[in-house]
Amino acid sequence: MPKNKPKKFRQDEHIVDNIELNIWEALIPVFALVGMLAYNVYVFGDEAIGGSNQFILLMGGAVAAIVGFFNKVSYKQMLAEVAENVKSTTGALLILLMVGALAGTWLISGIIPAMIYYGLQILNPTIFLAACVVISAIISIATGSSWTTAATVGIALIGIGEALGISLGMTAGAVLSGAYFGDKMSPLSDTTNLAPAMAGGELFDHIKYMTITTVPTILVTLVVFIILGFTIDATGSADTETILNSIDAS
């Protein structure tokens, strides 16, 4: 099948030759990357994320470069495109690097324990699961990280849920529901920043359109957990001081 004729388009006042690929040529690097990652996971199992996956990603990039060379794309142009893509994702990468430091700073300075303490004042077995969703969502929006929320507030709420006699699975589900909702809605979230950066959109436009699906979902989730709260038979009381002491010691 003959190649399409080169197209010329003006970009930053420079004429760039671009050979348009057909769909199968464009998918070669994708199939190669997926295949190598699958084989890597098959061979190394859980240890694949320890370092070998990074080499697979580099090999996938090499396959893409070979396809580019085959279609007469210069090495200089490839580097320029890579630099442009990295530039567009710099904000998300910085957020990803700093979110861990932010969570640690909040924990050491007492911000997260204070949030937990005052949030726990309103908890009782009937509204506990719904409160888990709300508290986790607020903390996740503030930190921009669902994992940070689950590793801090989530641990405290699960401990309180056990003290109240509430199912561990229900409590964990409520925490994760709120945490992932907050992660999607937070302008500090790495994935929320990365998606519009890669697509060339605006951050808050991205968040606005995500509310179309995420807000109804979290409302349905809240209704479900409220109903569960009225139906479960919980006994005991939350030992707030013990939970906060365990967080301070961690």
Side-chain angles (χ1 to χ4, degrees):
M1 182 176 180
K3 299 282 184 186
N4 294 328
K5 292 183 179 180
K7 290 185 177 181
K8 290 187 176 182
F9 59 92
R10 185 169 296 276
Q11 182 179 7
D12 296 332
E13 299 183 354
H14 294 286
I15 299 298
V16 180
D17 290 329
N18 179 45
I19 297 178
E20 189 175 296
L21 305 181
N22 62 52
I23 184 64
W24 297 112
E25 286 179 317
L27 287 175
I28 288 174
V30 177
F31 288 145
L33 179 61
V34 171
M36 288 187 291
L37 285 174
Y39 179 76
N40 188 50
V41 172
Y42 174 77
V43 173
F44 294 101
D46 293 339
E47 296 180 358
I49 61 175
S52 56
N53 270 351
Q54 283 74 7
F55 289 102
I56 297 298
L57 293 175
L58 291 175
M59 292 173 65
V63 172
I66 292 172
V67 174
F69 286 132
F70 182 76
N71 287 277
K72 304 185 185 306
V73 179
S74 68
Y75 179 69
K76 183 178 180 180
Q77 185 177 344
M78 290 184 193
L79 288 182
E81 293 295 334
V82 169
E84 186 65 26
N85 289 332
V86 171
K87 180 181 177 181
S88 66
T89 60
T90 300
L93 293 175
L94 290 176
I95 290 173
L96 182 63
L97 291 173
M98 296 179 67
V99 67
L102 175 66
T105 302
W106 280 26
L107 187 60
I108 293 173
S109 63
I111 294 177
I112 288 179
M115 289 180 176
I116 296 171
Y117 179 81
Y118 290 110
L120 295 180
Q121 305 307 306
I122 64 172
L123 294 184
N124 65 61
T126 303
I127 66 168
F128 175 74
L129 292 174
C132 284
V133 176
V134 174
I135 293 172
S136 298
I138 292 173
I139 301 300
S140 189
I141 290 173
T143 61
S145 172
S146 56
W147 286 15
T148 299
T149 301
T152 53
V153 180
I155 293 174
L157 292 174
I158 285 176
I160 295 168
E162 288 183 334
L164 294 173
I166 297 175
S167 168
L168 174 62
M170 288 185 182
T171 306
V175 169
L176 292 177
S177 296
Y180 280 114
F181 168 78
D183 193 347
K184 294 297 100 182
M185 293 292 99
S186 174
L188 296 176
S189 172
D190 53 346
T191 53
T192 303
N193 278 268
L194 185 61
M198 294 301 296
E202 294 294 331
L203 172 61
F204 287 98
D205 287 339
H206 175 58
I207 294 175
K208 179 178 70 174
Y209 286 108
M210 281 200 300
T211 59
I212 297 174
T213 55
T214 52
V215 171
T217 301
I218 198 66
L219 291 177
V220 171
T221 302
L222 276 172
V223 170
V224 170
F225 280 119
I226 289 172
I227 294 173
L228 287 174
F230 281 101
T231 58
I232 59 176
D233 183 17
T235 58
S237 59
D239 188 353
T240 304
E241 184 176 354
T242 300
I243 297 297
L244 291 177
N245 288 338
S246 67
I247 292 176
D248 289 335
S250 62

